Amino acid sequence: LFFGYPLLTIAWQSLLARDGTVGFANYAAILTTPGLVTATANSLAVAADTTLVSVVVGFVLAYALERSAVRAKNLVRAALVLPLLAPSLVQALGLLFILGRNGLVHKWTGWDIDIYGFWGLLIANVLYALPQAVMILQAALRNADSRYYDAAEVMGASSLRQFLDITLPNTKFGLLSAAFVVFVITITDFGNAIVIGGNYRVLATEIYSQVSGQMDFGMGSVVGMLLLLPSLVSIYIERVAAQRQFGASSENLIPVTPARMPLRDTLLGGACLLVAATIAAVVAVVVFASFVKLWPYNLSFTLKNYNVDTSDGYASLWTSLKISLVAATLGVALLFLLTFGARRLSGGAAKAVYLLAVLPVGVPGLVLGLSYIFAFNVPNSPLYILYGSAILIAICNFYHYHTQGFLTMMTGMRSVPAALEEAVSCFGGNLRCVLRDAVLPFMAPTVLSVFFFLFMRSMVTLSAVIFLVTPTVNVASVAVMRLDQAGFVSQAAAFSTWIMLIVGGALLAMRLLLSRVGRRPGPAGRT
């Protein structure tokens, strides 16, 4: 109802021409619409280049964190978390504050740098996608057995030979997985493109222009389908790569312990600190801009930017908090029930549930949000009661990140010993007892992780909600975009800072709660 049906409506809408006829006229019009052809080519170009840069830089960082004795690793990890705390447009906003026409570099040096367009979008996308590439590649590098390197050492293989013959082949599927994740993130991203893209049109901004600017829902749906196809193909290849990478691991492998090599560690440490400093500077300048009187002409300190007196003030921030809490609470409950039931299925039924549960990861947020308009903005439908409400935005956010939550919850559910459930049942325990005494004690860390994951992603998402906000129901990420477009850049920075503080606080709360849950006695003694 909330995933499959909306996608069917957008597919149907793409077949409806403006005159009401049904056919492939909208698809045929792509070839005669230069803007769409250019946007498609631009999207593929910037996505491919971002993927190449992110995977190469990400591998260097992951290798430094996992296979070297580089110091200050925690600082690098902390810097990599920063892009995940805010909407994607914050990276673009920070670049404009540094390199834009009114940026610090121009103010201090007089250099006129044209950061708008391809190069600005490339840098912003790399900063946004890099943390996810690093996490995937770190996991791939951990999946190595030190005994291979010991054998190579005995056979006299040099460090370079070990890297080329053992490390790279062992991480090839991780590299492929990271590449396709970055590609999907980039080709579907809307925040960076709308802020720093300038005249460099991409599919994400084109679909927004077709729907919000020209009210051409048919062509907007076609662009949505164009975004959907490469995403689905990429996700399929990424899943196959991930299964091969981690499915072949040995449970009794011996982790690699990095040895200290001064020259290598110095070079890798310098690269890590450079990247970390760049990420930190881009985020820090946004926070700094939120405290200046008039960017960039009067950089004196003020708090007036936090007194947002335009539009609805901080109402959108409170709305985002409520929506994120609803999305997290509802999402955890539904995912727990889904995985608890799926664990008891087998054969074709289990495969069907799994397939439906992981499909949302291949649907871009813009496409999902647009499909919700077609599915729920129908006055004669009983579903119309949800249209324009905060609960619909919460549901959309949940399904946008459904796959990641499902896979995490399923992993936790598999850790629950089946014998423990059977023991509770044998002692006369009903379903409530099974859940309380056998399942929940094992699942508590996973439930907490999924709850905070859904909360944090719901706070920062932009693409999935841009079409669903109304004059009475707005969210913080959209408010940041509109403040920036209206020229209130310092107030946009203040709004972004609030979002980062809230999401950062949620991350700290999650780690604190997980540490406390980890210190509790195990469920065996309680049973």
Side-chain angles (χ1 to χ4, degrees):
L1 180 63
F2 291 101
F3 174 68
Y5 174 65
L7 290 183
L8 290 177
T9 61
I10 195 173
W12 171 253
Q13 193 70 33
S14 69
L15 300 175
L16 293 178
R18 283 192 170 184
D19 58 4
T21 59
V22 178
F24 294 94
N26 291 329
Y27 289 92
I30 294 176
L31 300 177
T32 59
T33 307
L36 284 178
V37 176
T38 302
T40 302
N42 289 345
S43 291
L44 292 173
V46 75
D49 290 338
T50 301
T51 300
L52 178 62
V53 175
S54 297
V55 171
V56 172
V57 176
F59 186 83
V60 172
L61 295 181
Y63 190 86
L65 294 173
E66 294 295 327
R67 297 291 183 84
S68 75
V70 168
R71 296 179 179 180
K73 290 183 179 181
N74 288 334
L75 288 177
V76 178
R77 294 188 182 100
L80 289 171
V81 170
L82 293 176
L84 305 176
L85 302 181
S88 61
L89 56 82
V90 167
Q91 282 73 43
L93 198 61
L95 286 175
L96 291 181
F97 285 143
I98 297 175
L99 300 174
R101 299 185 185 99
N102 293 321
L104 294 176
V105 172
H106 178 76
K107 178 181 175 61
W108 293 337
T109 66
W111 296 345
D112 190 9
I113 302 174
D114 186 12
I115 195 63
Y116 288 93
F118 173 81
W119 290 107
L121 187 56
L122 174 64
I123 297 172
N125 283 340
V126 168
L127 294 177
Y128 178 58
L130 187 60
Q132 301 188 54
V134 173
M135 286 189 289
I136 294 171
L137 293 170
Q138 278 187 270
L141 287 168
R142 289 192 204 107
N143 191 46
D145 197 323
S146 64
R147 288 171 291 190
Y148 288 108
Y149 293 91
D150 294 338
E153 198 75 35
V154 171
M155 296 173 67
S158 64
S159 298
L160 178 61
R161 185 68 183 271
Q162 293 178 36
F163 177 81
L164 294 176
D165 291 349
I166 303 176
T167 303
L168 282 182
N170 188 64
T171 58
K172 61 182 178 182
F173 292 116
L175 289 166
L176 186 61
S177 179
F180 281 103
V181 167
V182 172
F183 182 83
V184 171
I185 292 173
T186 303
I187 201 171
T188 61
D189 179 66
F190 174 73
N192 285 327
I194 198 68
V195 172
I196 206 171
N199 294 324
Y200 191 82
R201 306 291 295 178
V202 293
L203 285 174
T205 54
E206 192 63 30
I207 187 174
Y208 182 72
S209 174
Q210 291 288 340
V211 174
S212 298
Q214 304 178 35
M215 302 302 291
D216 191 343
F217 292 101
M219 288 304 296
S221 301
V222 170
V223 178
M225 299 303 290
L226 289 178
L227 275 175
L228 182 62
L229 291 177
S231 298
L232 289 175
V233 173
S234 298
I235 290 300
Y236 172 76
I237 297 176
E238 186 273 331
R239 288 295 165 195
V240 172
Q243 290 174 1
R244 292 192 178 185
Q245 172 67 38
F246 303 110
S249 63
S250 172
E251 294 183 356
N252 60 348
L253 65 82
I254 301 175
V256 177
T257 301
R260 184 173 295 278
M261 298 176 60
L263 178 60
R264 180 202 64 184
D265 294 344
T266 301
L267 293 176
L268 289 177
C272 286
L273 291 178
L274 177 62
V275 174
T278 301
I279 295 174
V282 169
V283 175
V285 75
V286 174
V287 178
F288 171 71
S290 70
F291 292 104
V292 302
K293 286 187 176 180
L294 182 62
W295 184 272
Y297 308 105
N298 186 351
L299 300 183
S300 57
F301 179 83
T302 183
L303 291 175
K304 71 174 185 178
N305 297 316
Y306 286 86
N307 183 23
V308 179
D309 53 6
T310 60
S311 185
D312 57 352
Y314 281 115
S316 59
L317 186 63
W318 292 113
T319 301
S320 287
L321 271 171
K322 295 174 184 176
I323 288 173
S324 299
L325 286 172
V326 171
T329 304
L330 180 67
V332 162
L334 291 176
L335 287 171
F336 181 85
L337 293 173
L338 176 62
T339 53
F340 184 73
R343 193 167 185 252
R344 284 151 177 76
L345 297 177
S346 60
K351 292 181 180 179
V353 169
Y354 184 87
L355 176 62
L356 289 174
V358 300
L359 274 179
V361 75
V363 181
L366 281 170
V367 177
L368 188 62
L370 182 59
S371 70
Y372 268 48
I373 294 180
F374 300 139
F376 296 96
N377 189 16
V378 183
N380 297 327
S381 169
L383 300 176
Y384 182 70
I385 192 174
L386 292 173
Y387 186 73
S389 66
I391 186 66
L392 184 64
I393 298 178
I395 293 171
C396 182
N397 284 341
F398 165 54
Y399 279 98
H400 187 200
Y401 298 105
H402 183 276
T403 300
Q404 297 93 321
F406 171 79
L407 293 175
T408 304
M409 193 75 79
M410 200 69 193
T411 300
M413 191 65 71
R414 286 171 179 157
S415 69
V416 180
L420 187 59
E421 294 185 53
E422 294 172 1
V424 175
S425 299
C426 289
F427 280 107
N430 55 19
L431 179 61
R432 181 175 64 86
C433 295
V434 170
L435 290 173
R436 184 193 65 194
D437 298 331
V439 179
L440 286 178
F442 279 92
M443 288 290 294
T446 303
V447 169
L448 282 173
S449 299
V450 173
F451 176 87
F452 281 101
F453 168 76
L454 292 174
F455 174 83
M456 291 186 288
R457 298 317 298 167
S458 184
M459 279 295 302
V460 302
T461 187
L462 174 64
S463 60
V465 301
I466 187 65
F467 292 128
L468 297 179
V469 295
T470 67
T472 57
V473 181
N474 194 17
V475 296
S477 56
V478 176
V480 173
M481 183 191 77
R482 289 178 176 171
L483 285 170
D484 174 68
Q485 290 180 328
F488 300 104
V489 292
S490 293
Q491 290 189 339
F495 237 96
S496 301
T497 302
W498 272 120
I499 295 174
M500 287 187 283
L501 285 174
I502 292 172
V503 178
L507 181 61
L508 292 176
M510 179 187 72
R511 292 186 174 179
L512 178 62
L513 289 172
L514 287 176
S515 64
R516 290 185 176 181
V517 170
R519 289 196 297 267
R520 290 179 181 176
R526 177 180 175 182
T527 304

